[in-house]
Amino acid sequence: MSVHLDDLCKDYHEGRVVPFIGAGLSIPFNVPDWGDLISEIAEKYAVGDMSFVKSAVEQDLQRYNYWQAIDALKNYTTVQEEDIQEYIAVTIQKKIKKVENDLLHNYSDLKEMDFKLFLTTNYENLLHNYLQCDLTPILLKDVQFNTQGLFDQKRVCQLHGTTSNYGTIVISKESYRNLYNDKKYENILKLVTGTKKLLFMGFSFDDQFIRTLIKEHKEFFRTKHYILLADPTPEKVRQLREEFGLLAIPYSTKGSSHAEGIRAILQAMSGLSSMVKNEGENTSTLNHTIVVGAGIDDLQKDTANNLFYKKLKIEQIDQSLIELSSVFYIASEEYIRELKRAAIPLNIIDMMLRKVFTKYKERYADTYKRYGNSEEFLAIVHSSLKEIDYGRLKQLLKDNLADEDEIRGLIHLLAEDEKLEVWWGEKRC
């Protein structure tokens, strides 16, 4: 990891870090980014004689010049600022989806961290929903209290508007200028950046917002701030430091996901990583509270709309086996939730899920590829997981090893992740 990680950890434990959340953290929830939204707006409004505008917009989007793309739409088509704001709000609300598996995103990770103030440029309220703050989200420009109180209670401040009030959405260069030329807004942002150190998460190196914000408001960023980046080149890391004053904390996505890479950094910040060094050492500091798991009432949950259920259904697997798999899924979902509540480090949970996924791949190779029978494949996977060898996990989890229902359900929990390609045959949803 980065040479700056130790400094970030120190700042975090001294209460000096404020997470600044970008659109990247909402991708697992199917929230479209600026580029996708603007491209869709162009498809809707740049029609007939105005079709040439679509080409111009696409060129601007390829250069990450979102504002110029919006200006082209406003200058050459009938679309107005309010139309764009409404379209963004409606589209996000329509496309956003629920993610049952907390391992697929980082909002649950942030909930476990000791942060008070969260800043975000996102328009939806996913961050607030997962943090379960007592205080409702507030637009930074609407703060009407002593600004020192920003750091007293856990809260989310949205910088660029919210879908629940689409007229507040900042998307064009004109609306951005109006916002940041407001002296009150400028003073509040200056207070935050002057007394805390921002941790940018979910932003790309090419993000127009970061570049404009820091370049045009360098007086806000005289202290050092951090940014988490996936697989940046040394040149990009150097450019971020020299041009924007940002210290890059890189993470790798090779053989991993963005959520896993970010989670590893957050765990390092909170000190969890030191608890599981070498996968089996230093286990004395783990929380060994015995988790209870799912009860009879939990089994009433309807899973028919879940992806794992649909994957079983399209292979025409017997309904009784699908219902049994649903019981396993519910048990494993509650088991993982209880492990997190018991403060079991997430990388230990990841190790267990890796074992489950590996066992599934083994059975895919020696059972399904050989016989091509989905029901037999499912039964063999369940049987193999029931007898799985936990290895060093026995020592790490001690009294919290999954029972036979929970361990069999974990493969269905993993099937919720589209990227992992957990299927029961050749058909696809």
Side-chain angles (χ1 to χ4, degrees), residues 4-5 8-9 12 16-22 25 110 113 115 117-119 196-203 210 221 224-229 246-249 262 265-266 269:
H4 305 300
L5 183 57
L8 174 60
C9 293
Y12 168 74
R16 302 176 65 186
V17 177
V18 171
F20 200 142
I21 309 302
L25 262 64
L110 289 170
M113 303 289 288
F115 294 119
L117 177 64
F118 294 79
L119 301 181
K196 303 291 181 179
K197 297 179 181 182
L198 300 183
L199 174 60
F200 290 89
M201 307 168 61
F203 293 95
I210 291 182
F221 296 91
K224 63 183 179 183
H225 301 278
Y226 304 95
I227 182 170
L228 306 189
L229 284 179
L246 290 178
L247 304 179
I249 312 286
I262 292 172
I265 295 173
L266 293 177
M269 290 171 62

Side-chain angles (χ1 to χ4, degrees), residues 393-409:
L393 285 174
K394 288 182 180 178
Q395 183 180 0
L396 292 171
L397 287 168
K398 292 193 174 180
D399 296 324
N400 286 322
L401 289 171
D403 68 21
E404 61 182 39
D405 294 342
E406 293 162 347
I407 196 71
R408 286 182 284 184

